[in-house]
Amino acid sequence: MIAVAVIVCLFAVGMAAFLNYFKYRSTVDRIVKARLAVVGLSIENSIQASLALGLSFSDLGMLQGLIDRETATHELIQGIDIFDTDGKPLYSTDRMRAGRSVSAAWLNAARRTKDANWFVQEGAESAVGISIKNNFGLTVGHLALRYSHDKIDVAAREVGQHLALMAMLIFIGAALLASIALVLVMRTVERDMRQVEAVLSNPEGPRNPAVLGRGLFGPALVRFFENVRTAELQIAALRAKLSRGAQS
């Protein structure tokens, strides 16, 4: 029973730790995506304000400085890329990326989601993107904010280690408490069972109700022997009637 109690404690604490860890991961991913989307929306608003002045999307001189400042301000962002609907890069904080087309995964995700925000994870680098529209509601390009999953994984690993340590301490405490409680309960039950065994093994011995009434099974023993005594009296009365009938 102690082994079963320890296994139950291990299962309960382990499941609670796993659920908390995965809930933390999902919450962190959702917060990161929402935060990057807010940054992207602020950049989109600046682009739309410039387009309202009649400027061409590829001739926004202030846009390069804007994305450079946003990248430097937010530690989580590794880079910002802006490309047109055909995947041709227009602006990028990474000069190496400015000369080559964006990946097919980015372009497919941007086209598939249309007006909604999109998310792509390629290896250790992920991207959150939004569509950029002009004043007429037409999509003129896409904006992608790149960030590394390594930083999130490092933070998640630290949280996982902390959860594992706390779960181990809680498991040890719960297992000890359950074991001690079971030992105390089983001692009481064992004492009562020994009393029952002693009385039942010597049915002709003394049946003092004051002695039988002790312990967990005491009231049940008293009722049992009272029923036995009543049955014995009834059997004796029936035998007497049968004997008198046979004599007559």
Side-chain angles (χ1 to χ4, degrees):
M1 293 186 67
I2 292 178
V4 171
V6 171
I7 293 174
V8 171
C9 291
L10 177 61
F11 177 78
V13 176
M15 287 300 297
F18 275 115
L19 290 175
N20 284 329
Y21 175 75
F22 287 112
K23 183 178 180 180
Y24 164 79
R25 282 305 303 260
S26 63
T27 303
V28 167
D29 289 339
R30 186 170 63 253
I31 291 174
V32 168
K33 293 176 183 178
R35 179 181 176 184
L36 294 179
V38 170
V39 176
L41 288 175
S42 66
I43 298 175
E44 182 190 14
N45 293 333
S46 299
I47 295 174
Q48 289 180 348
S50 298
L51 292 177
L53 300 177
L55 298 177
S56 174
F57 185 43
S58 58
D59 296 330
L60 301 180
M62 42 73 63
L63 191 53
Q64 184 64 49
L66 176 61
I67 60 177
D68 288 338
R69 287 194 302 272
E70 292 291 346
T71 303
T73 301
H74 299 83
E75 182 181 359
L76 184 63
I77 299 177
Q78 286 193 326
I80 300 176
D81 300 319
I82 299 176
F83 53 95
D84 60 14
T85 55
D86 295 326
K88 179 183 178 181
L90 299 176
Y91 305 93
S92 177
T93 55
D94 188 353
R95 299 297 182 266
M96 299 296 295
R97 288 178 173 269
R100 61 176 185 267
S101 300
V102 299
S103 65
W106 286 20
L107 191 58
N108 292 333
R111 290 174 176 176
R112 184 173 57 252
T113 55
K114 296 182 179 180
D115 296 338
N117 297 340
W118 48 272
F119 169 75
V120 175
Q121 180 177 357
E122 290 183 318
E125 191 174 66
S126 303
V128 173
I130 62 174
S131 299
I132 301 175
K133 299 180 180 298
N134 58 16
N135 296 330
F136 301 100
L138 298 177
T139 301
V140 295
H142 304 279
L143 183 146
L145 297 99
R146 292 180 283 110
Y147 69 99
S148 176
H149 254 280
D150 292 339
K151 294 181 179 180
I152 300 177
D153 291 339
V154 169
R157 195 177 301 114
E158 294 178 355
V159 173
Q161 293 175 354
H162 179 71
L163 282 175
L165 177 60
M166 296 303 298
M168 182 62 65
L169 295 177
I170 294 174
F171 163 69
I172 294 174
L176 289 176
L177 182 61
S179 301
I180 294 173
L182 276 175
V183 168
L184 296 177
V185 172
M186 292 307 297
R187 283 183 178 178
T188 304
V189 174
E190 183 181 4
R191 184 172 61 252
D192 294 335
M193 292 300 294
R194 287 179 179 176
Q195 180 184 355
V196 172
E197 182 182 4
V199 173
L200 294 179
S201 62
N202 186 20
E204 299 300 331
R207 301 178 181 179
N208 187 356
V211 177
L212 294 177
R214 300 173 183 173
L216 180 62
F217 299 98
L221 282 175
V222 172
R223 290 193 299 271
F224 172 74
F225 284 112
E226 288 179 352
N227 293 332
V228 170
R229 187 179 299 108
T230 302
E232 289 176 350
L233 293 176
Q234 292 176 353
I235 292 172
L238 289 174
R239 287 178 178 176
K241 289 181 180 180
L242 291 174
S243 61
R244 287 197 300 269
Q247 290 178 358
S248 62

